[in-house]
């Protein structure tokens, strides 16, 4: 059985340390899923390439074809790796723009591995104080191990160990199948993932405003 992993990388330069970390994580997850007897298709979304499309989508309320395609790829995935550089002690504005245009149900129960890069280890808490709450709010299942890499971490044994530990946790969730006795209690209804690209999914701001004011002006 083949699964799909989407990798979001918000690095601004080319090449970037953010993309380097994203590639290392993707390779480790691919190996971990393969070790469990399943194949994994990896799709990388470079948010740098969507910068102008994201700005257009944010200001018009209508996703461009490139943004719509990216949203569909994310909601259809079996797992997600999200990697951002740290700007002003948090995730980058470009990264947040993409998350903001996702449908509120795009990441329901989605296994997610969070990671970040920065020039100094002082920003390592960005994983637990910014990224983890963000994806928990979107009802994603964030793996216990986040991966932070400062400039001096690349090539170190410690980073490699964190990469492989986080990859194993994500791989386990990606290939997991429902099991166990259902019992007598009725399960909560499952919230399915949606990309938000369906007809009528996006309403112009003027219509939203009219709905709150009670008139059509």
């Amino acid at each position: 059985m083949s699964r799909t992993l989407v990798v979001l990388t918000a690095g601004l330069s080319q090449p970037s340390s953010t993309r380097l970390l994203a590639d290392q994580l993707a390779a480790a997850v691919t190996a971990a899923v393969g070790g469990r007897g399943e194949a994994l298709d990896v799709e990388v979304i470079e948010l740098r390439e969507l910068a102008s499309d994201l700005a257009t989508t944010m200001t018009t309320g209508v996703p461009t074809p490139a943004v719509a395609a990216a949203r569909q790829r994310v909601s259809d995935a079996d797992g997600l790796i999200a990697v951002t550089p740290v700007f002003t002690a948090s995730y980058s504005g470009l990264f947040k723009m993409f998350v903001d245009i996702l449908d509120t149900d795009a990441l329901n129960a989605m296994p997610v591995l969070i990671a970040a890069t920065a020039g100094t280890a002082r920003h390592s808490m960005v994983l637990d104080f910014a990224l983890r709450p963000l994806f928990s709010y979107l009802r994603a299942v964030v793996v216990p191990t986040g991966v932070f890499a400062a400039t001096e971490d690349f090539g170190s044994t410690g980073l490699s160990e964190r990469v492989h530990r986080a990859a194993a946790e994500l791989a386990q969730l990606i290939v997991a199948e429902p099991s166990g006795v259902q019992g007598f209690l009725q399960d909560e209804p499952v919230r399915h993932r949606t990309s938000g690209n369906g007809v009528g999914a996006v309403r112009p701001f003027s219509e939203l405003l009219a709905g709150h004011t009670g008139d059509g002006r």
Side-chain angles (χ1 to χ4, degrees):
M1 182 176 181
S2 181
R3 312 280 182 153
T4 300
L5 172 70
V6 167
V7 181
L8 293 179
T9 172
L12 298 183
S13 59
Q14 189 179 21
S16 70
S17 58
T18 302
R19 177 60 189 268
L20 176 60
L21 179 59
D23 288 343
Q24 291 180 7
L25 290 166
V29 174
T30 300
V33 171
R36 289 166 169 77
E38 299 196 23
L40 187 68
D41 296 323
V42 178
E43 301 178 359
V44 178
I45 298 178
E46 279 275 10
L47 297 184
R48 175 178 55 85
E49 298 174 355
L50 291 175
S52 60
D53 289 274
L54 288 171
T56 298
T57 299
M58 293 288 288
T59 55
T60 65
V62 180
T64 67
V67 166
R71 296 203 309 186
Q72 191 68 54
R73 289 164 69 187
V74 167
S75 64
D76 287 346
D78 297 298
L80 179 73
I81 294 175
V83 192
T84 177
V86 176
F87 291 144
T88 320
S90 188
Y91 35 70
S92 72
L94 180 63
F95 181 84
K96 185 58 162 57
M97 283 178 68
F98 183 78
V99 174
D100 283 346
I101 58 87
L102 291 177
D103 189 84
T104 54
D105 288 325
L107 298 181
N108 288 338
M110 173 80 72
V112 176
L113 191 166
I114 55 173
T117 60
T120 171
R122 291 181 299 170
H123 293 299
S124 61
M125 296 304 293
V126 70
L127 295 175
D128 291 323
F129 283 92
L131 284 169
R132 195 175 297 276
L134 175 66
F135 283 100
S136 295
Y137 172 78
L138 293 170
R139 296 181 294 275
V141 180
V142 185
V143 301
T145 303
V147 180
F148 176 85
T151 302
E152 64 268 20
D153 289 329
F154 285 94
S156 69
T157 301
L159 177 59
S160 178
E161 290 176 349
R162 294 196 301 276
V163 165
H164 285 87
R165 182 167 62 249
E169 293 169 356
L170 183 62
Q172 183 175 8
L173 290 176
I174 288 175
V175 303
E177 295 290 345
S179 62
V181 178
Q182 295 295 323
F184 297 103
L185 296 178
Q186 184 173 353
D187 293 336
E188 291 293 324
V190 176
R191 296 185 65 149
H192 297 287
R193 295 177 200 146
T194 58
S195 66
N197 291 333
V199 176
V202 178
R203 295 175 60 192
F205 180 73
S206 58
E207 291 186 13
L208 296 173
L209 184 61
H212 285 286
T213 57
D215 58 45
R217 291 179 293 175

